[in-house]
Amino acid sequence: MKRTMGITALAVGALIASLGTPAGAATAADPAPRVDLRVLVVSDGGPATDAIAAELDSAGTPYTKVDLANTARPVIDAGFLADTVAGRPRARFQAVVLPNDNPFPAGSAEMAALTAYERAYAVPQVDAYTWARPDVGLDYAGYAGSLDGVRAEVTPAGKAGPFGYLEGAVPFEDNSPTVGESYAYLAQPAPGADFTPYVQAAGPGRPTKGSLVGEYRHDGRRELVVTFVYNRYQQQYRLLARGIVEWMTGGVHLGVDRNYFAVHVDDVFAADDRWDSALNCTPGDVDCAPGTGTPHPIRMVPADVDRAVAWQKSRGFTLDLAYNASGSVDHAEENGGADPLADRLVTDRAAFRWINHTYTHAFLGCRQDVSVVPWKCATNADGSTQWVSRGEIADEITANRTWGQQHGLPLAGDELVTGEHSGLKVTPQQPVDNPNLGPALTDTGIGWLGSDHSRDPVQRRVGSATTVSRYPMNVFYNAGRAAEQVDEYNWIYTSRAQGGSGICEDNPATSTCLPAPLDPATGYAGYIVPLETRTALGHVLSNDPRPHFIHQSNLAEERIAYPVLDGVLGGYDELFAANTPVVNPRMKDIGAELQRRDAWRTAVDAGKVTAYRIGGTVTVQAPSGTTVPATMPAGTRSGPLTAFGSAYAGAVSGWAAPSPGSVTLTLPAAR
C-alpha cells in the first residue's frame, strides 16, 4: 500500500456523492477541500477517551465530544461530518477518536458514515483502547495482562514518526505492589497486514515484544491502534499523549504543549523555624503555643550558595529566590554588621532570578491572635475583623524592593509573593482576602502575585495583580535534615494510635496517609523523595507551567531539596530527547501564559474561533486581542516571510496575534 495518502478529488467526490452532490463541489482544478482544525472525540465514558480529551483541553486544541451514553447526542452521519462552505466541501473534523476500533452495534450506519468520511478526506482514526486481533491489524495477543513496572520502548519507526521527542523508554508505573495499575494486549502484526508498531514491550518474563501503539493502514484508512488501558494521570500515557495528538493531526493543529518546571525558593536571607520532634510543633511559629519550646532556626550559609550555583550549572536550570531583606539586615545587626550569606548571594546574584517576598515576611491578612492554637483572626469590639492596613502592606513591598534594587538584584519589580501567601484568603480563619491587599498591590505596581495552589488554585485578579498559583512541595519549610522531615511527616500522616496527629483519621481522603510510620533513617530517600518526584514530574508532563515552591531551609544543612529536584530533572532527561527540553520560566511569564490560555479557552468555548486548512494554508479567525496557540511543522511561515513559532519536540509552536482578526500560516511545501 502506498505510504503517503493525500486527499484526492476522486475521494472527495465519493463522499460528495453520498451527500447528494452539493452545489459548488470540488473540481479537478480546485481539488482541495477545507478541513476544520477540530477533533471529534466519541466517548464511552472510559478513561482512555477522557485522557485524550484532557490532553486536547490542556493544549487548547478544539474538539467536539459525543457521549455515546447520552440519548440526546447527535447522530454521526454524513451531514454531521461534512458539508459545503462557500462552494467548497468541508470536512468538519481533522481527526476522529473512538473508544475502540468500532464502538457501535454490528452494521451501524454511524460507523459506516465514519468509515466513508475517513476515506474521503484522509482523516485518521485513533482507537483509544482496543484488544489485539486481525480486525485491527494485529495477530491475537501473545500476552495479555499487567505491565506494572515494565519498560516499554519507542521503535525506530516511532522515533522517526510521532514519538521522536522521546529518548526511547516508556516506563509503566508500579506505585503499589497490591494494586494493578495497567493492563495490555501485546501482539505482533497480523500476517499480511500493513501495520507499523510505534511503541512495543515484552510481557513480564517473556522474550517476545508486541505492539502497544501502532499504525494500521487498510481500506484507504489509517488507524492508531492502542492496546493498553490508561488514564490521564499515568506517566506512560503522559509520555505518549503528545505523540498521539501529533499523529492524529499530522502535526498541524491548534494548541501548544510544552513541559514546564520552575522552582521558587522562599525565605531567602531569612531563617526558618525548626520542627521539634518532642513537642510535635515548631517553636517560634503559630503551631506551637506562645512560649513553648526554644526556636532553633535554619539558615543557609555561603557554602549552600556555592552548592546552588554549581547545581544550577550542572542541570542547566535556574532557581527563583524569593527574598526577605530584613533577614539580612537583622543578621548583620546581631553579628557586628556582617552577613556572609548575603555577601555571597549578592556576589552571585546574576545566577538566580529574584522575587520580592516582602521585607519582614509579616502576615498581611487579618491580625493574628496566636494565644490559641490554631490561631484566629483578632476582632474589634464590634466583632469586625482587624486587618493589616494598606500602608503596612505597601511598606513591606516597597522596603524589600528598595533593598533589592540597592544591592543590584535582577528583579522583576511587578512580581510578589507575600509571606505564607498572606493577605489572600486562608480557610477556615480568613475566608476572604484582606480588603486592603488589592489597593496596596495597585499602589506598589504589582502585576503578578503568588498564591498557594492547594488553597487558591484559580487565577484571579487582586487589585492590579493577577495570581499565579504555586504547587507546594511536601519538603517542609521547618526541616533542614532528613530525620526532621520524616519525623514531621510521620506526625502528620499517621494515626493517633501510631503517635501521629490523626489528620488522616479525620480526613480519610488525604492522599499521603501512611499505613505505618516511616523509618527515620530511610523514610526520606526511600519513600518521600520518590513520591514527591513522581508528583512534581506529573505536573511537568501535563503541560502545566505553574511553579513549585520550597524554602531556603531545604537548601541548607543536609540540603534535602536536591534529591527531589534531581529526581525530577534527572528522570526527565532519561525520558525525553534533546529537542524537548524542560521550559523554565519566571513567574510573570507563567502568569501571562495562563492568561493567554484562559482567554483562548473562553473564545473557543464561546464558538468565536474558526480554524481550517485548505491545502498548504492554515487560516485562524479569532476575536481581536485573543492570541492563537498553534503547533505546526518546522518551516511554517506566518505571513509571506516570517517564520512561525519556535522549535520544540520536533515541531514549531507558539502564540500568534490575529491581525486584523485573522492568522494565516503557510505550511512547508512538502506538507
mmCIF file of all heavy atoms in Angstrom, residues 618-652:
data_model
loop_
_atom_site.group_PDB
_atom_site.id
_atom_site.type_symbol
_atom_site.label_atom_id
_atom_site.label_comp_id
_atom_site.label_asym_id
_atom_site.label_seq_id
_atom_site.Cartn_x
_atom_site.Cartn_y
_atom_site.Cartn_z
ATOM 1 N N VAL A 618 -3.157 27.431 6.439
ATOM 2 C CA VAL A 618 -3.995 27.357 7.634
ATOM 3 C C VAL A 618 -4.495 28.762 7.951
ATOM 4 O O VAL A 618 -3.707 29.714 8.005
ATOM 5 C CB VAL A 618 -3.209 26.793 8.836
ATOM 6 C CG1 VAL A 618 -4.000 26.941 10.126
ATOM 7 C CG2 VAL A 618 -2.853 25.328 8.599
ATOM 8 N N THR A 619 -5.796 28.884 8.149
ATOM 9 C CA THR A 619 -6.403 30.169 8.478
ATOM 10 C C THR A 619 -7.118 30.044 9.814
ATOM 11 O O THR A 619 -7.877 29.097 10.035
ATOM 12 C CB THR A 619 -7.411 30.591 7.395
ATOM 13 O OG1 THR A 619 -6.745 30.666 6.139
ATOM 14 C CG2 THR A 619 -8.019 31.951 7.718
ATOM 15 N N VAL A 620 -6.850 30.999 10.708
ATOM 16 C CA VAL A 620 -7.500 31.027 12.022
ATOM 17 C C VAL A 620 -8.112 32.403 12.216
ATOM 18 O O VAL A 620 -7.414 33.419 12.095
ATOM 19 C CB VAL A 620 -6.519 30.728 13.165
ATOM 20 C CG1 VAL A 620 -7.275 30.624 14.492
ATOM 21 C CG2 VAL A 620 -5.720 29.461 12.899
ATOM 22 N N GLN A 621 -9.392 32.437 12.518
ATOM 23 C CA GLN A 621 -10.082 33.684 12.831
ATOM 24 C C GLN A 621 -10.479 33.646 14.297
ATOM 25 O O GLN A 621 -11.078 32.676 14.769
ATOM 26 C CB GLN A 621 -11.310 33.849 11.933
ATOM 27 C CG GLN A 621 -10.946 33.955 10.459
ATOM 28 C CD GLN A 621 -12.144 33.793 9.545
ATOM 29 O OE1 GLN A 621 -13.166 33.258 9.948
ATOM 30 N NE2 GLN A 621 -12.008 34.254 8.308
ATOM 31 N N ALA A 622 -10.116 34.699 15.035
ATOM 32 C CA ALA A 622 -10.366 34.750 16.470
ATOM 33 C C ALA A 622 -10.677 36.185 16.861
ATOM 34 O O ALA A 622 -10.340 37.123 16.131
ATOM 35 C CB ALA A 622 -9.152 34.228 17.240
ATOM 36 N N PRO A 623 -11.302 36.397 18.022
ATOM 37 C CA PRO A 623 -11.626 37.756 18.449
ATOM 38 C C PRO A 623 -10.373 38.621 18.589
ATOM 39 O O PRO A 623 -9.294 38.133 18.942
ATOM 40 C CB PRO A 623 -12.295 37.542 19.808
ATOM 41 C CG PRO A 623 -12.790 36.142 19.786
ATOM 42 C CD PRO A 623 -11.808 35.380 18.954
ATOM 43 N N SER A 624 -10.526 39.885 18.335
ATOM 44 C CA SER A 624 -9.422 40.820 18.489
ATOM 45 C C SER A 624 -8.889 40.766 19.919
ATOM 46 O O SER A 624 -9.661 40.715 20.887
ATOM 47 C CB SER A 624 -9.902 42.240 18.164
ATOM 48 O OG SER A 624 -8.871 43.175 18.367
ATOM 49 N N GLY A 625 -7.580 40.751 20.058
ATOM 50 C CA GLY A 625 -6.957 40.679 21.372
ATOM 51 C C GLY A 625 -6.719 39.275 21.873
ATOM 52 O O GLY A 625 -6.071 39.085 22.906
ATOM 53 N N THR A 626 -7.243 38.276 21.171
ATOM 54 C CA THR A 626 -7.027 36.881 21.550
ATOM 55 C C THR A 626 -5.853 36.327 20.760
ATOM 56 O O THR A 626 -5.866 36.356 19.535
ATOM 57 C CB THR A 626 -8.276 36.032 21.249
ATOM 58 O OG1 THR A 626 -9.397 36.578 21.940
ATOM 59 C CG2 THR A 626 -8.070 34.593 21.691
ATOM 60 N N THR A 627 -4.834 35.853 21.441
ATOM 61 C CA THR A 627 -3.723 35.228 20.738
ATOM 62 C C THR A 627 -4.035 33.764 20.481
ATOM 63 O O THR A 627 -4.756 33.117 21.237
ATOM 64 C CB THR A 627 -2.413 35.368 21.528
ATOM 65 O OG1 THR A 627 -2.634 34.970 22.885
ATOM 66 C CG2 THR A 627 -1.911 36.798 21.508
ATOM 67 N N VAL A 628 -3.485 33.253 19.398
ATOM 68 C CA VAL A 628 -3.834 31.928 18.891
ATOM 69 C C VAL A 628 -2.673 30.966 19.129
ATOM 70 O O VAL A 628 -1.563 31.189 18.635
ATOM 71 C CB VAL A 628 -4.144 31.996 17.385
ATOM 72 C CG1 VAL A 628 -4.384 30.604 16.822
ATOM 73 C CG2 VAL A 628 -5.347 32.906 17.130
ATOM 74 N N PRO A 629 -2.892 29.870 19.869
ATOM 75 C CA PRO A 629 -1.845 28.871 20.044
ATOM 76 C C PRO A 629 -1.871 27.865 18.897
ATOM 77 O O PRO A 629 -2.941 27.395 18.496
ATOM 78 C CB PRO A 629 -2.216 28.204 21.365
ATOM 79 C CG PRO A 629 -3.716 28.264 21.391
ATOM 80 C CD PRO A 629 -4.105 29.532 20.662
ATOM 81 N N ALA A 630 -0.731 27.532 18.379
ATOM 82 C CA ALA A 630 -0.685 26.580 17.269
ATOM 83 C C ALA A 630 0.609 25.788 17.301
ATOM 84 O O ALA A 630 1.649 26.284 17.754
ATOM 85 C CB ALA A 630 -0.814 27.310 15.930
ATOM 86 N N THR A 631 0.528 24.563 16.809
ATOM 87 C CA THR A 631 1.686 23.693 16.627
ATOM 88 C C THR A 631 1.712 23.274 15.168
ATOM 89 O O THR A 631 0.713 22.761 14.653
ATOM 90 C CB THR A 631 1.603 22.465 17.539
ATOM 91 O OG1 THR A 631 1.564 22.902 18.904
ATOM 92 C CG2 THR A 631 2.793 21.542 17.337
ATOM 93 N N MET A 632 2.851 23.501 14.518
ATOM 94 C CA MET A 632 2.962 23.310 13.088
ATOM 95 C C MET A 632 4.284 22.618 12.747
ATOM 96 O O MET A 632 5.200 22.580 13.571
ATOM 97 C CB MET A 632 2.885 24.673 12.368
ATOM 98 C CG MET A 632 1.572 25.410 12.578
ATOM 99 S SD MET A 632 0.242 24.689 11.592
ATOM 100 C CE MET A 632 -1.188 25.066 12.640
ATOM 101 N N PRO A 633 4.415 22.141 11.515
ATOM 102 C CA PRO A 633 5.697 21.561 11.101
ATOM 103 C C PRO A 633 6.789 22.627 11.023
ATOM 104 O O PRO A 633 6.508 23.812 10.780
ATOM 105 C CB PRO A 633 5.388 20.997 9.709
ATOM 106 C CG PRO A 633 3.903 20.933 9.614
ATOM 107 C CD PRO A 633 3.381 22.017 10.474
ATOM 108 N N ALA A 634 8.018 22.205 11.226
ATOM 109 C CA ALA A 634 9.156 23.113 11.067
ATOM 110 C C ALA A 634 9.139 23.696 9.668
ATOM 111 O O ALA A 634 8.861 22.999 8.684
ATOM 112 C CB ALA A 634 10.460 22.369 11.314
ATOM 113 N N GLY A 635 9.412 24.985 9.567
ATOM 114 C CA GLY A 635 9.403 25.665 8.281
ATOM 115 C C GLY A 635 8.115 26.387 7.984
ATOM 116 O O GLY A 635 7.993 27.055 6.946
ATOM 117 N N THR A 636 7.135 26.315 8.885
ATOM 118 C CA THR A 636 5.874 27.036 8.702
ATOM 119 C C THR A 636 6.121 28.538 8.805
ATOM 120 O O THR A 636 6.889 29.000 9.656
ATOM 121 C CB THR A 636 4.843 26.591 9.747
ATOM 122 O OG1 THR A 636 4.549 25.204 9.550
ATOM 123 C CG2 THR A 636 3.561 27.401 9.660
ATOM 124 N N ARG A 637 5.431 29.300 7.943
ATOM 125 C CA ARG A 637 5.597 30.754 7.935
ATOM 126 C C ARG A 637 4.298 31.424 8.379
ATOM 127 O O ARG A 637 3.200 30.944 8.105
ATOM 128 C CB ARG A 637 5.976 31.265 6.546
ATOM 129 C CG ARG A 637 7.266 30.705 6.006
ATOM 130 C CD ARG A 637 7.740 31.471 4.773
ATOM 131 N NE ARG A 637 6.704 31.679 3.779
ATOM 132 C CZ ARG A 637 6.338 30.787 2.868
ATOM 133 N NH1 ARG A 637 6.920 29.599 2.843
ATOM 134 N NH2 ARG A 637 5.380 31.072 1.984
ATOM 135 N N SER A 638 4.465 32.551 9.060
ATOM 136 C CA SER A 638 3.359 33.420 9.409
ATOM 137 C C SER A 638 3.451 34.634 8.506
ATOM 138 O O SER A 638 4.359 35.464 8.661
ATOM 139 C CB SER A 638 3.438 33.841 10.882
ATOM 140 O OG SER A 638 2.416 34.758 11.194
ATOM 141 N N GLY A 639 2.545 34.724 7.548
ATOM 142 C CA GLY A 639 2.709 35.741 6.525
ATOM 143 C C GLY A 639 3.691 35.244 5.480
ATOM 144 O O GLY A 639 4.155 34.101 5.507
ATOM 145 N N PRO A 640 4.092 36.108 4.563
ATOM 146 C CA PRO A 640 4.925 35.639 3.447
ATOM 147 C C PRO A 640 6.354 35.282 3.821
ATOM 148 O O PRO A 640 6.959 34.429 3.185
ATOM 149 C CB PRO A 640 4.885 36.819 2.471
ATOM 150 C CG PRO A 640 4.556 38.006 3.323
ATOM 151 C CD PRO A 640 3.661 37.511 4.407
ATOM 152 N N LEU A 641 6.904 35.915 4.870
ATOM 153 C CA LEU A 641 8.337 35.744 5.126
ATOM 154 C C LEU A 641 8.674 35.328 6.554
ATOM 155 O O LEU A 641 9.728 34.742 6.794
ATOM 156 C CB LEU A 641 9.081 37.057 4.812
ATOM 157 C CG LEU A 641 9.006 37.554 3.366
ATOM 158 C CD1 LEU A 641 9.666 38.916 3.256
ATOM 159 C CD2 LEU A 641 9.677 36.563 2.422
ATOM 160 N N THR A 642 7.822 35.625 7.521
ATOM 161 C CA THR A 642 8.162 35.444 8.933
ATOM 162 C C THR A 642 8.015 33.989 9.357
ATOM 163 O O THR A 642 6.953 33.377 9.151
ATOM 164 C CB THR A 642 7.264 36.321 9.822
ATOM 165 O OG1 THR A 642 7.370 37.678 9.389
ATOM 166 C CG2 THR A 642 7.676 36.211 11.272
ATOM 167 N N ALA A 643 9.059 33.427 9.934
ATOM 168 C CA ALA A 643 8.979 32.064 10.458
ATOM 169 C C ALA A 643 8.035 32.046 11.655
ATOM 170 O O ALA A 643 8.072 32.938 12.513
ATOM 171 C CB ALA A 643 10.363 31.574 10.865
ATOM 172 N N PHE A 644 7.194 31.032 11.723
ATOM 173 C CA PHE A 644 6.242 30.930 12.830
ATOM 174 C C PHE A 644 6.843 30.150 13.980
ATOM 175 O O PHE A 644 7.491 29.125 13.802
ATOM 176 C CB PHE A 644 4.955 30.228 12.380
ATOM 177 C CG PHE A 644 4.055 29.870 13.538
ATOM 178 C CD1 PHE A 644 3.342 30.852 14.194
ATOM 179 C CD2 PHE A 644 3.960 28.556 13.990
ATOM 180 C CE1 PHE A 644 2.539 30.537 15.279
ATOM 181 C CE2 PHE A 644 3.151 28.232 15.066
ATOM 182 C CZ PHE A 644 2.434 29.225 15.712
ATOM 183 N N GLY A 645 6.576 30.607 15.212
ATOM 184 C CA GLY A 645 6.843 29.845 16.415
ATOM 185 C C GLY A 645 8.309 29.614 16.697
ATOM 186 O O GLY A 645 9.204 30.210 16.099
ATOM 187 N N SER A 646 8.554 28.731 17.633
ATOM 188 C CA SER A 646 9.907 28.316 17.990
ATOM 189 C C SER A 646 9.943 26.801 18.086
ATOM 190 O O SER A 646 8.920 26.145 18.317
ATOM 191 C CB SER A 646 10.338 28.950 19.321
ATOM 192 O OG SER A 646 9.427 28.629 20.351
ATOM 193 N N ALA A 647 11.131 26.252 17.913
ATOM 194 C CA ALA A 647 11.268 24.800 17.826
ATOM 195 C C ALA A 647 11.022 24.145 19.176
ATOM 196 O O ALA A 647 11.522 24.605 20.211
ATOM 197 C CB ALA A 647 12.663 24.447 17.319
ATOM 198 N N TYR A 648 10.273 23.055 19.158
ATOM 199 C CA TYR A 648 10.064 22.255 20.360
ATOM 200 C C TYR A 648 9.503 20.904 19.954
ATOM 201 O O TYR A 648 8.536 20.823 19.183
ATOM 202 C CB TYR A 648 9.088 22.934 21.334
ATOM 203 C CG TYR A 648 9.149 22.349 22.722
ATOM 204 C CD1 TYR A 648 10.200 22.668 23.584
ATOM 205 C CD2 TYR A 648 8.190 21.455 23.178
ATOM 206 C CE1 TYR A 648 10.277 22.121 24.848
ATOM 207 C CE2 TYR A 648 8.250 20.905 24.438
ATOM 208 C CZ TYR A 648 9.312 21.239 25.277
ATOM 209 O OH TYR A 648 9.395 20.684 26.538
ATOM 210 N N ALA A 649 10.127 19.847 20.453
ATOM 211 C CA ALA A 649 9.648 18.472 20.251
ATOM 212 C C ALA A 649 9.517 18.108 18.777
ATOM 213 O O ALA A 649 8.609 17.381 18.383
ATOM 214 C CB ALA A 649 8.322 18.260 20.974
ATOM 215 N N GLY A 650 10.409 18.626 17.944
ATOM 216 C CA GLY A 650 10.406 18.274 16.534
ATOM 217 C C GLY A 650 9.435 19.064 15.690
ATOM 218 O O GLY A 650 9.321 18.817 14.482
ATOM 219 N N ALA A 651 8.728 20.020 16.292
ATOM 220 C CA ALA A 651 7.794 20.872 15.566
ATOM 221 C C ALA A 651 8.123 22.319 15.905
ATOM 222 O O ALA A 651 9.126 22.613 16.570
ATOM 223 C CB ALA A 651 6.355 20.534 15.956
ATOM 224 N N VAL A 652 7.300 23.249 15.437
ATOM 225 C CA VAL A 652 7.370 24.633 15.898
ATOM 226 C C VAL A 652 6.025 24.970 16.500
ATOM 227 O O VAL A 652 4.977 24.501 16.040
ATOM 228 C CB VAL A 652 7.740 25.621 14.774
ATOM 229 C CG1 VAL A 652 9.159 25.389 14.298
ATOM 230 C CG2 VAL A 652 6.759 25.542 13.608
#
